[in-house]
Structures are given as structure tokens and as C-alpha cells.
Amino acid sequence: MDMTFQQTVEAYLDAIKKRDLQQLLTAITFDEDIDVILFNGTHFKGRALVANLHSAWFADPDWKLEAQIVRTVETPEMAYAFILVDYSDEKLGDKPYKEQQYVTLVFRKQNGHWLLIHDQTTVALSGQG
């Protein structure tokens, strides 16, 4: 049974929280038409690079992520999720790191499945949101 868009987004976020690379990859497009842009502007393009990025990130046991879906927009072929994330890392550099981030996820329906084609993170400015 195919998942709805909402179920796909929730499964994607759950995969991140559980550091489950295989589950995460089931929601990513199979072709090279995927872009991930990190909060610092670093751009990764293509499934292999995105998989390697997440594999390295998931290997770090010190971070936590809490996500709240703020808004979704869905059409028959494409969908978008706007997410507010509380991100923390106990051992990043010389002191603990904590910030809010906005995450934009864009999915395209391919062969009956919602698959991620764009993931962009932006640091939320203090006093915004």
C-alpha cells in the first residue's frame, strides 16, 4: 500500500530521529535529481552523495532533533513540507550546540510513491517563527 504524503513526511522524519539510513533512502528519489542544502549553504546533489552525507551524520551519536510540521501543500504530482526543527548536539566543537532551523522538503510523486527531490535547511533567526 502506498503511503500518503503526510505518512511519507512522518516516516522520513522518523528515519532521521532513529538514524535509520535504509528507511530514509526509501523516501529519496532513485535518480540523481535530488538536492540537499545544509544550513551553512553546502550543496549536495545526487542520491549517492546524499546517502553518504546522512550515513556520516547518523554515525554521530551526540545530536538530537525534534521536528514539528508547520505546513504542507500537496498537488497530485508534487508536495511540500515546511518544518520547524529544534536541533542540538552535546559535543559539537568545544561547547554544546543548540538552535532552531527551518527545513523545506519537496517531494515528487514517482510511480505512485512520494520521493524527496529537495531538502533545504535554514537557521531560524532569534525572535522569528
Side-chain angles (χ1 to χ4, degrees), residues 16-126:
I16 291 172
K17 286 177 78 171
K18 294 189 313 190
R19 294 170 170 82
D20 186 336
L21 185 62
Q22 293 310 311
Q23 180 182 337
L24 181 108
L25 291 176
T26 65
I28 292 177
T29 186
F30 291 99
D31 58 27
E32 293 302 302
D33 190 22
I34 181 169
D35 293 285
V36 172
I37 302 172
L38 303 180
F39 68 94
N40 63 6
T42 304
H43 176 234
F44 293 85
K45 182 163 186 70
R47 185 176 170 88
L49 285 177
V50 170
N52 289 340
L53 167 71
H54 284 87
S55 179
W57 182 36
F58 289 177
D60 176 358
D62 299 318
W63 59 266
K64 291 183 205 165
L65 181 143
E66 293 297 324
Q68 173 189 352
I69 299 170
V70 176
R71 179 175 184 230
T72 60
V73 175
E74 181 180 344
T75 71
E77 295 178 1
M78 294 191 82
Y80 151 93
F82 178 61
I83 300 162
L84 179 61
V85 169
D86 288 311
Y87 185 84
S88 63
D89 192 324
E90 295 303 317
K91 298 181 181 177
L92 189 64
D94 59 349
K95 61 182 178 178
Y97 174 84
K98 186 174 183 173
E99 72 179 9
Q100 282 195 318
Q101 302 170 341
Y102 296 119
V103 177
T104 301
L105 302 175
V106 179
F107 290 77
R108 180 173 58 210
K109 200 155 208 182
Q110 298 173 309
N111 300 321
H113 302 282
W114 288 108
L115 298 174
L116 184 72
I117 61 168
H118 185 86
D119 175 341
Q120 185 163 349
T121 301
T122 304
V123 175
L125 297 177
S126 175

